[in-house]
């Protein structure tokens, strides 16, 4: 099966600071990958490098077989990879409806499975806020809007960086419920989240980063049985 994302020997730098040290990364169609590691270990940088946001990088990056080693973020989006960044990235001066509609497009195979209606059915709270501006939404609603916008692009892969950060427990539960639904539709997802237990319970495969290197990788069910390794790398 052709991988949605296949990257080998990825390095990244911020100025003279060498942050990623030779990471191999693969995302298969339909799988949920949990990316774990303590603060500052390189999770966000890895995602941003794969998507072409970090200019100082080396290594090979392919999306659906296409070489994007020197690719720009819009090229990753065109290859079906949608990104929900930390901090959400919605348009504060546009309404919920405008934020969603302007993101709409067909997927890589021309699919239009995610319509405005389906996104609103998935997030009923957004349906109630259609004419509110992005800036008028609560943090949880903004996060739902950010995920809704990503779904409107009919992606093959959805990458979520700290999607539940700073949100109230009920909203966190709601977001994980939706991620479960999305997972069952067969959309591949990469999830970065601090609540490692929830990630473990909701992912097929886990990858642990430590100082810009992969230190542990495998099926979530296997890693759950290695509490010493998890406590060593996650400090839990
Ligand atoms: N824009 C930047 N300029 C310089 N250094 C950066 C920048 N962004 C991140 N770093 C550094 O790169 C390293 C990796 O950071 P990164 O944000 O990728 O880690 P992370 O695992 O996602 O952590 P967090 O959970 O805190 O976001 C850290 O040492 C961080 O200080």
């Amino acid at each position: 099966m052709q991988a949605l994302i296949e990257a080998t020997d990825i390095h990244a730098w911020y100025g003279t600071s060498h942050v990623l040290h030779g990471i191999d990364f693969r995302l298969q169609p339909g799988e949920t990958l949990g990316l774990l590691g303590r603060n500052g270990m390189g999770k966000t940088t890895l995602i941003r490098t794969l998507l072409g946001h970090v200019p100082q990088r080396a290594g090979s990056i392919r999306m659906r077989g296409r070489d994007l080693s020197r690719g720009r973020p819009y090229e990753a989006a065109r290859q079906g990879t949608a990104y929900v960044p930390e901090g959400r990235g919605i348009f504060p001066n546009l309404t919920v409806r405008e934020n969603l509609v302007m993101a709409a497009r067909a997927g890589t195979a021309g699919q239009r499975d995610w319509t405005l209606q389906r996104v609103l059915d998935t997030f009923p709270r957004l349906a109630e806020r259609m004419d509110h501006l992005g800036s008028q939404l609560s943090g949880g609603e903004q996060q739902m809007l950010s995920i809704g916008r990503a779904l409107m692009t009919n992606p093959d892969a959805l990458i979520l960086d700290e999607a539940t950060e700073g949100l109230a427990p009920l909203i966190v539960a709601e977001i994980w419920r939706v991620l479960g639904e999305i997972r069952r539709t067969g959309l591949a997802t990469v999830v970065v989240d601090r609540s490692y237990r929830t990630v473990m319970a909701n992912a097929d495969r886990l990858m642990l980063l430590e100082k810009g290197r992969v230190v542990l990788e495998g099926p979530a069910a296997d890693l759950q049985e290695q509490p010493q390794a998890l406590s060593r790398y996650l400090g839990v």
Side-chain angles (χ1 to χ4, degrees):
M1 201 186 327
Q2 187 181 58
L4 294 175
I5 305 177
E6 173 135 46
T8 47
D9 199 22
I10 297 299
H11 292 257
W13 294 261
Y14 294 113
T16 55
S17 166
H18 190 175
V19 175
L20 300 183
H21 302 266
I23 292 184
D24 293 339
F25 179 98
R26 172 184 266 263
L27 183 69
Q28 295 289 6
E31 78 169 336
T32 299
L33 172 68
L35 195 52
L36 299 172
R38 281 174 290 152
N39 288 352
M41 292 302 162
K43 305 178 297 294
T44 299
T45 302
L46 174 59
I47 288 172
R48 291 175 49 78
T49 301
L50 294 173
L51 296 173
H53 291 275
V54 178
Q56 283 178 269
R57 61 183 188 264
S60 155
I61 303 169
R62 300 184 83 80
M63 289 195 186
R64 299 171 66 249
R66 188 168 301 219
D67 184 10
L68 290 189
S69 307
R70 301 307 312 156
R72 308 281 303 272
Y74 73 88
E75 294 174 276
R78 242 185 235 162
Q79 291 309 315
T81 305
Y83 177 38
V84 177
E86 216 176 348
R88 296 159 201 154
I90 58 165
F91 294 105
N93 299 325
L94 298 183
T95 64
V96 167
R97 182 191 305 277
E98 288 165 343
N99 263 284
L100 291 172
V101 168
M102 74 178 287
R105 66 155 181 263
T108 51
Q111 76 274 22
R112 289 188 181 273
D113 300 338
W114 287 96
T115 58
L116 179 62
Q117 191 54 51
R118 184 165 173 204
V119 168
L120 297 179
D121 290 344
T122 305
F123 291 109
R125 290 174 78 108
L126 292 182
E128 293 164 17
R129 303 274 190 282
M130 284 301 267
D131 299 315
H132 287 57
L133 296 178
S135 58
Q136 294 172 316
L137 302 179
S138 69
E141 290 162 354
Q142 289 184 356
Q143 190 63 63
M144 292 176 194
L145 180 55
S146 184
I147 298 172
R149 274 173 52 89
L151 293 172
M152 290 293 286
T153 68
N154 284 288
D156 299 316
L158 180 64
I159 303 187
L160 299 124
D161 195 357
E162 307 270 11
T164 63
E165 178 68 9
L167 302 179
L170 271 178
I171 305 290
V172 171
E174 168 72 0
I175 287 177
W176 280 108
R177 177 193 66 75
V178 169
L179 294 182
E181 248 179 54
I182 292 171
R183 184 183 179 195
R184 284 189 291 279
T185 68
L187 178 57
T189 45
V190 178
V191 197
V192 178
D193 201 283
R194 277 159 215 243
S195 47
Y196 75 97
R197 282 179 210 281
T198 317
V199 172
M200 246 185 243
N202 288 281
D204 302 309
R205 196 157 61 82
L206 298 176
M207 199 166 158
L208 249 93
L209 294 188
E210 165 98 347
K211 297 185 184 155
R213 291 185 167 85
V214 177
V215 286
L216 207 58
E217 189 177 5
D222 294 358
L223 297 194
Q224 265 169 333
E225 286 163 18
Q226 299 186 39
Q228 319 87 316
L230 292 173
S231 86
R232 174 168 164 209
Y233 294 120
L234 296 175
V236 290

